[in-house]
């Protein structure tokens, strides 16, 4: 499993991670916030959605991002929400929006 060697600035337009295998991930802050895996966000919607997209501001971004052990990142969002632990696996394989991963994901979905 690759690990992040560099995590982009929280004031950047999107979230960026450079991985130990050289892959560069990018993900919009809003998509990242919507994917919050914490029990609170997951439990809000019975149909499996996480967070109501209309409740998240377009320009949402974190105040800081901390690394949790060797497996996750924990952002503290503008609104103080910080209970979501984003595992490296999730960031790399579910949330990465780079051209390569987007193409790979839609190829999987088309099958
Ligand atoms: Zn949450
Ligand atoms: Zn990617």
């Amino acid at each position: 499993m690759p690990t992040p060697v560099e995590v982009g600035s929280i004031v950047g337009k999107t979230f960026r991670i450079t991985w130990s295998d050289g892959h560069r991930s990018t993900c919009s802050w809003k998509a990242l916030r919507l994917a919050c895996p914490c029990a609170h966000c997951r439990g809000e919607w019975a149909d499996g959605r996480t967070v109501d997209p209309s409740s998240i501001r377009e320009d949402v971004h974190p105040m800081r991002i901390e690394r949790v052990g060797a497996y996750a990142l924990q952002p503290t969002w503008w609104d103080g929400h910080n209970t979501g632990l984003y595992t490296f696996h999730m960031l790399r394989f579910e949330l990465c929006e780079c051209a390569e991963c987007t193409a790979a994901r839609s190829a999987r979905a088309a099958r």
Side-chain angles (χ1 to χ4, degrees):
M1 181 67 212
T3 54
V5 288
E6 202 184 321
V7 174
S9 163
I10 57 165
V11 296
K13 276 181 85 169
T14 58
F15 185 42
R16 289 175 186 279
I17 300 174
T18 304
W19 297 91
S20 52
D21 62 355
H23 192 85
R24 286 164 194 269
S25 285
T26 176
C27 177
S28 73
W29 294 118
K30 186 165 180 177
L32 194 69
R33 177 62 185 86
L34 284 174
C36 181
C38 83
H40 174 75
C41 295
R42 286 287 182 201
E44 225 164 305
W45 298 88
D47 64 2
R49 264 189 302 161
T50 50
V51 184
D52 178 3
S54 65
S55 73
I56 306 296
R57 340 166 13 144
E58 287 303 321
D59 61 349
V60 66
H61 69 256
M63 295 188 293
R64 62 172 181 273
I65 297 179
E66 275 159 74
R67 195 167 173 141
V68 181
Y71 73 100
L73 297 179
Q74 179 177 24
T76 298
W77 297 96
W78 257 6
D79 57 4
H81 189 73
N82 70 346
T83 42
L85 294 182
Y86 295 72
T87 63
F88 295 162
H89 186 275
M90 197 182 157
L91 292 163
R92 172 68 184 263
F93 297 106
E94 292 170 36
L95 295 171
C96 180
E97 291 172 350
C98 80
E100 191 187 316
C101 292
T102 305
R105 225 174 277 128
S106 51
R108 272 204 303 276
R111 240 182 270 149

